[in-house]
Amino acid sequence: AQKVTQAQTEISVVEKEDVTLDCVYETRDTTYYLFWYKQPPSGELVFLIRRNSFDEQNEISGRYSWNFQKSTSSFNFTITASQVVDSAVYFCALSEADKAAGNKLTFGGGTRVLVKP
Amino acid sequence: DAMVIQNPRYQVTQFGKPVTLSCSQTLNHNVMYWYQQKSSQAPKLLFHYYDKDFNNEADTPDNFQSRRPNTSFCFLDIRSPGLGDAAMYLCATSRLLQGYEQYFGPGTRLTVT
């Protein structure tokens, strides 16, 4: 069975600080997909990134960067120079390649990030 | 802009009174999903449609039903809402089943009185 663990339930930082969100996953599949979603107070889940299990290249998008390490089953997310608008709950998620699984997302428990001015 | 739309954004219903939530998409995606999200929890998948094929999660109560009359629309019916069904209901779509990201609507917050 799949499992995603986000050990940090809440992180509070002051604006312009960097913040790293941890995500550790468990799966028996060799092919799988990892995702990060942002859920601001408005409630809508916003897709941030998708990563395939066979692509360990790290990625940077503006102030966001992701570090994928299969050896430690981790897919961590860093926000550089945080801003108040980054305040949200961030979810890490995993889906299997098995079509029968229906692209079901297994979510971590989420990490609430509070950026103070 | 292509998007996922949910109506209404807020819904109040009485205990035991049937309620229908709606979702529409302009993305022309094959797959549509319904999630339930309770306060401070991760979203929980209720069911999904791959085109017209309906797939129910094993632990979704019978009280929850869904309809997908065409590619663009999907409905969530709660036949007899209980107090425990108060939650945010999120609709999502994805292009294909395997490994593609899901795009979420803004959600409908359901209150049961």
Side-chain angles (χ1 to χ4, degrees), chain A:
Chain A
Q2 298 180 112
K3 185 178 179 182
V4 177
T5 302
Q6 294 179 253
Q8 306 142 310
T9 54
E10 186 165 326
I11 301 174
S12 183
V13 297
V14 176
E15 208 169 17
K16 296 184 184 176
E17 287 184 345
D18 297 348
V19 56
T20 294
L21 311 181
D22 298 332
C23 173
V24 174
Y25 62 91
E26 297 174 29
T27 179
R28 285 177 290 199
D29 292 342
T30 54
T31 303
Y32 51 88
Y33 305 87
L34 295 163
F35 305 84
W36 275 96
Y37 284 86
K38 174 183 179 180
Q39 188 172 40
S42 60
E44 181 173 351
L45 275 157
V46 178
F47 165 72
L48 296 178
I49 189 172
R50 176 187 67 165
R51 204 26 123 217
N52 303 322
S53 55
F54 42 84
D55 181 3
E56 283 193 75
Q57 206 168 20
N58 292 328
E59 184 157 336
I60 299 174
S61 176
R63 295 184 297 105
Y64 293 172
S65 62
W66 291 270
N67 184 314
F68 176 28
Q69 291 195 344
K70 284 180 77 170
S71 60
T72 56
S73 297
S74 65
F75 186 41
N76 296 338
F77 172 32
T78 298
I79 304 172
T80 302
S82 60
Q83 300 176 0
V84 173
V85 293
D86 296 325
S87 296
V89 179
Y90 292 86
F91 289 98
C92 180
L94 169 72
S95 74
E96 296 174 324
D98 179 8
K99 190 174 181 179
N103 198 28
K104 177 179 177 177
L105 288 175
T106 299
F107 285 93
T111 298
R112 182 178 300 277
V113 174
L114 177 61
V115 182
K116 300 177 183 176

Side-chain angles (χ1 to χ4, degrees), chain A residues 33 35 37 39 42-47 50 52 91 95-99 101-105 107-110 112, chain B residues 9 31 33 35 37 40-43 45 48 50 57 88 90 94 96-107:
Chain A
Y33 305 87
F35 305 84
Y37 284 86
Q39 188 172 40
S42 60
E44 181 173 351
L45 275 157
V46 178
F47 165 72
R50 176 187 67 165
N52 303 322
F91 289 98
S95 74
E96 296 174 324
D98 179 8
K99 190 174 181 179
N103 198 28
K104 177 179 177 177
L105 288 175
F107 285 93
R112 182 178 300 277
Chain B
R9 295 292 309 276
V31 195
Y33 307 81
Y35 290 84
Q37 186 179 26
S40 301
Q41 296 183 18
L45 182 64
H48 75 272
Y50 179 32
E57 290 298 298
M88 174 77 89
L90 296 163
S94 72
L96 289 171
L97 276 178
Q98 293 166 275
Y100 285 89
E101 59 270 21
Q102 296 182 20
Y103 292 93
F104 286 79

